[in-house]
Amino acid sequence: MGKCGSKPQVVASKQPPGKEPAPLLSLRDEPPPGEDAKAEGDPPRGDTPYMTFRGGAFIDEALARRAFRPPPPLGAEEPAESDPILDYELDDANAVRAQLTPAALDLAESHRSYHGLRRTLRGYWTYPDRVTEMVASLEKFEAFRRRFGLDELANDEPRARADCARLLNFWDNMKFCGYDAYGHPVITETVHETLARVNLADEDPEDLLKGRTVCTEAFIALKHLATRRHNSDVTVLKQVLIVDMDRVRLRMVTSRVRSRFKVIMKTLEDVYPEVAWRTYVVNCVVNAPGYLRVIWTVVESRAGTARDVPNFKGSAVKSWLHPTTAMKVRILGTDRDFARAQMLADGVPEDAVPASCGGGAVEVSLADLFAGSPELAAAYGAPAAAEPLEAPRVAAPPRARKAPSDAKKAELAAEAAASTTGYLVPLAAVAVAVAAWYYLT
């Protein structure tokens, strides 16, 4: 999902006669609890309305190194990320609010959604019937939070914390590197480890989805902490993801991986729109020239600027990314100096660039941020782990698979392209890179 550059047309509200939505002042003027640090005093390090990080001292250290500045708009006619709901957006916002159930409306206007109405408004600008899509997204988000007990996690309930620690430990290949110049958390993910986890035969798909969900909630908590330290008029809504393709091989992209990614992407794109600032795809070491050319052709096809994919017949390659989304994606290849220079130019300081891209970031897993670790305790004074963590299981090497025929490639590409519109650009970028390679090479 992406934003479009033009002012959206007003969509007529379907509210019942006589039902007038209340003013949106709460969404425009009042920060969520804890975001006005000067007014409330300094809260405990790592404490947020979404989850509590026992490794908060490391986050404090990362925040202390930054003098944040407001993020600029990515398009000339688009609102900046930190802009509250604007006057010309209010008609759509009121139409959405009039159609929400009480539970979904309460969530949309509360801090628990982390500016959910604002993100949804801008995430669905490109949809013809966007009010209907926004309502559906916020209703799904409310059901989603109940389904996975996210309010219990926010309340720091022991059972929810233990489960979150288990899930984050399973996804310990997702690591926090620090913040960019605008307050966006910088996360790196090693894709070969992700593929191995998703391919585990005995892993419950529901558990995989819940694990990716708590990772996303961890991103929100990191953004909340940056907002709390930022200027009072700036709200950090997005994140930077570095997708490390090192050691990814064709045989890792099994049918199980494809089907599970499809479910994860479709589900999360509906409930967490408009959360990506930049996504970097790095260390594509296998068949790099042709591989990257195919990937970027698929990415550009969404923007309507792609040339024909070499040696590929038919019209199966459809749009994957909106033009604004395509602007956020950087395919950086294997040159570490080039990757580092591009990130520095985009506002990612060297101490937040991971070593795999030539930087000097200290990378800490989301699991260790959440539960603490002896290493963090020794280095930053953070408490040691309070929750027992289960060691991640390692997948057996997948069997080699016979390359699909051209017809099968076209069929799979058409199915995948038609079924995904972007999810959180982070996971979408992983899927674009992996799926494009698998389907089209």
Side-chain angles (χ1 to χ4, degrees):
M1 284 173 215
K3 299 179 286 186
C4 67
S6 60
K7 175 179 174 180
Q9 299 297 313
V10 174
V11 176
S13 170
K14 298 180 181 178
Q15 64 193 38
K19 181 179 180 181
E20 294 295 333
L24 281 166
L25 294 178
S26 62
L27 290 170
R28 305 178 72 185
D29 300 327
E30 296 178 12
E35 290 200 358
D36 188 349
K38 293 181 180 178
E40 298 190 8
D42 293 330
R45 57 175 53 176
D47 184 23
T48 80
Y50 310 96
M51 64 175 61
T52 298
F53 292 115
R54 299 196 188 282
F58 177 78
I59 303 171
D60 285 352
E61 177 91 1
L63 289 168
R65 293 196 297 268
R66 297 287 179 269
F68 294 136
R69 58 182 185 268
L74 288 180
E77 298 182 17
E78 297 171 5
E81 169 186 346
S82 58
D83 287 346
I85 292 175
L86 305 176
D87 288 341
Y88 69 79
E89 297 175 298
L90 292 180
D91 291 313
D92 279 359
N94 284 329
V96 169
R97 295 172 70 248
Q99 296 182 45
L100 290 173
T101 61
L105 179 60
D106 176 69
L107 174 62
E109 295 191 329
S110 76
H111 69 272
R112 293 174 296 135
S113 72
Y114 199 68
H115 309 276
L117 182 54
R118 188 197 314 185
R119 291 187 292 105
T120 303
L121 276 168
R122 292 170 185 169
Y124 284 89
W125 277 6
T126 58
Y127 283 64
D129 191 8
R130 58 184 165 276
V131 168
T132 299
E133 295 290 347
M134 293 176 209
V135 170
S137 173
L138 291 168
E139 293 286 358
K140 289 177 183 177
F141 189 34
E142 191 278 326
F144 196 72
R145 290 189 65 85
R146 284 189 285 106
R147 173 181 172 185
F148 286 140
L150 298 181
D151 285 346
E152 287 79 2
L153 175 61
N155 293 333
D156 223 24
E157 295 182 10
R159 181 177 296 181
R161 276 199 67 86
D163 195 45
C164 182
R166 174 185 65 84
L167 293 166
L168 290 178
N169 190 57
F170 181 81
W171 291 105
D172 67 350
N173 63 314
M174 302 192 75
K175 297 182 179 180
F176 172 64
C177 300
Y179 290 94
D180 73 0
Y182 309 110
H184 304 121
V186 179
I187 309 294
T188 183
E189 177 174 11
T190 48
V191 175
H192 77 276
E193 293 181 276
T194 292
L195 296 177
R197 286 158 170 75
V198 173
N199 195 48
L200 289 170
D202 59 345
E203 192 62 34
D204 182 1
E206 181 82 350
D207 225 32
L208 292 173
L209 176 58
K210 186 175 182 180
R212 299 300 297 206
T213 300
V214 297
C215 288
T216 306
E217 289 291 305
F219 301 159
I220 288 175
L222 289 168
K223 288 180 279 192
H224 171 89
L225 291 171
T227 296
R228 197 163 70 192
R229 187 177 181 87
H230 226 306
N231 298 327
S232 60
D233 59 344
V234 173
T235 300
V236 179
L237 297 177
K238 302 183 181 184
Q239 66 248 6
V240 173
L241 186 78
I242 300 170
V243 181
D244 189 345
M245 300 293 291
D246 189 27
R247 296 167 59 187
V248 171
R249 300 294 182 268
L250 175 62
R251 66 178 181 272
M252 298 177 179
V253 189
T254 65
S255 59
R256 181 185 295 122
V257 167
R258 291 199 313 272
S259 64
R260 288 178 171 180
F261 259 125
K262 180 178 177 181
V263 172
I264 292 171
M265 289 171 63
K266 176 57 181 170
T267 304
L268 295 184
E269 73 176 352
D270 286 341
V271 296
Y272 292 108
E274 202 60 12
V275 294
W277 177 253
R278 296 283 187 199
T279 298
Y280 302 95
V281 182
V282 302
N283 294 327
C284 310
V285 297
V286 179
N287 296 329
Y291 172 23
L292 294 177
R293 189 163 52 249
V294 169
I295 292 172
W296 193 239
T297 300
V298 173
V299 171
E300 285 186 323
S301 69
R302 177 67 170 181
T305 60
R307 294 184 293 272
D308 292 336
V309 177
N311 303 319
F312 187 79
K313 298 179 180 180
S315 58
V317 179
K318 299 182 180 178
S319 56
W320 285 69
L321 301 175
H322 184 270
T324 300
T325 303
M327 287 174 53
K328 303 175 183 179
V329 179
R330 300 275 195 261
I331 307 293
L332 300 183
T334 60
D335 187 330
R336 292 188 177 188
D337 290 338
F338 175 75
R340 174 178 169 275
Q342 181 64 69
M343 292 181 192
L344 291 175
D346 289 342
V348 181
E350 185 168 359
D351 61 13
V353 176
S356 62
C357 299
V362 176
E363 302 169 35
V364 177
S365 70
L366 297 180
D368 284 347
L369 284 184
F370 179 76
S373 71
E375 292 78 14
L376 288 181
Y380 301 97
E387 293 91 2
L389 299 178
E390 175 186 297
R393 289 167 286 173
V394 179
R399 294 176 295 175
R401 303 176 68 242
K402 183 180 179 180
S405 65
D406 288 344
K408 185 62 174 178
K409 290 178 185 178
E411 177 188 343
L412 293 172
E415 175 188 352
S419 66
T420 180
T421 55
Y423 155 49
L424 261 178
V425 178
L427 191 54
V430 176
V432 167
V434 174
W437 180 21
Y438 181 80
Y439 297 148
L440 304 176
T441 57

